[in-house]
Amino acid sequence: MVAFPTDTVYGLGGDAFRVSAVTRVYEVKHRPRHMPLPLLLADIGQLDSVAAPVSEVARLLARRFWPGGLTLVVRSRGTVPDIVTAGGEGVAVRVPDHPVPIFLARALGRPLVGTSANISGMPSCRTAAEVRRQLDDGVDMIIEGECSGGVESTVVDVTTEVPVVVREGAVSKESIIRVCSEAGHAHSVGL
């Protein structure tokens, strides 16, 4: 398990397909098991390895905001372990705009679990020193680096016909509406 800088906040992750690694992420974060974990992809090409066919709007948002601070909740292909999805049908995915997590996912050859490197309910960490203070010895390695954004990603659920902004963060809801509007889907963004 490794903590690493991203374009938003420090991430905590490991091999998304190794149940023991995912279990450790839940344990170190003190994250309830009913809360799914997001995946970080090396590039948009890894999307098809974890997602069922996605909608036109989902592809549009991915092309416009990836790499970057947008997380899309898509239907899982069924290849993602249940521990990652908390037994649900959806999986949250993102391509970060930072070389470290992209390198890790590319070197691994598959997506990483990539959640914020903090104790659940505590503020997100923006530096390696903050990660050390919160997670202490629970992490195998902390990669030093800078988190340029400092704000969590925006999460948009695209598993239904009308995309829903679940959490506003690095990408504004207005930006999402504007992109959808340009593609003729202006009415298609929920709160």
Side-chain angles (χ1 to χ4, degrees):
M1 184 171 35
V2 63
F4 48 85
T6 76
D7 54 329
T8 55
V9 296
Y10 250 82
L12 177 67
D15 184 342
F17 293 90
R18 179 172 276 177
V19 172
S20 61
V22 177
T23 299
R24 282 197 58 214
V25 170
Y26 276 108
E27 290 169 353
V28 167
K29 279 186 66 74
H30 303 282
R31 185 179 177 97
R33 294 284 180 99
H34 70 274
M35 295 177 67
L37 291 167
L39 301 180
L40 296 181
L41 313 177
D43 53 49
I44 197 168
Q46 282 188 338
L47 179 62
D48 293 330
S49 70
V50 295
V54 297
S55 67
E56 175 188 336
V57 171
R59 289 240 180 243
L60 173 72
L61 291 170
R63 283 192 305 268
R64 172 59 182 88
F65 294 108
W66 286 358
L70 179 67
T71 297
L72 296 175
V73 178
V74 297
R75 291 205 182 281
S76 174
R77 176 176 288 287
T79 57
V80 179
D82 284 346
I83 191 170
V84 173
T85 65
E89 293 181 11
V91 61
V93 294
R94 173 169 104 82
V95 177
D97 191 11
H98 195 287
V100 172
I102 287 176
F103 172 82
L104 293 171
R106 188 163 285 132
L108 186 61
R110 54 185 178 232
L112 298 171
V113 167
T115 185
S116 57
N118 62 313
I119 301 293
S120 288
M122 299 288 289
S124 296
C125 296
R126 289 165 179 77
T127 67
E130 289 174 4
V131 173
R132 279 187 200 90
R133 279 193 295 275
Q134 275 198 46
L135 302 179
D136 197 28
D137 294 331
V139 179
D140 296 322
M141 177 190 304
I142 299 174
I143 299 173
E144 296 278 342
E146 230 177 87
C147 297
S148 57
V151 176
E152 289 84 1
S153 66
T154 295
V155 178
V156 178
D157 185 338
V158 290
T159 61
T160 60
E161 188 174 328
V162 177
V164 176
V165 176
V166 176
R167 176 182 77 193
E168 191 169 3
V171 177
S172 71
K173 182 176 179 181
E174 291 75 25
S175 296
I176 293 165
I177 292 171
R178 187 174 355 73
V179 168
C180 290
S181 177
E182 291 168 4
H185 299 284
H187 65 285
S188 301
V189 179
L191 298 173

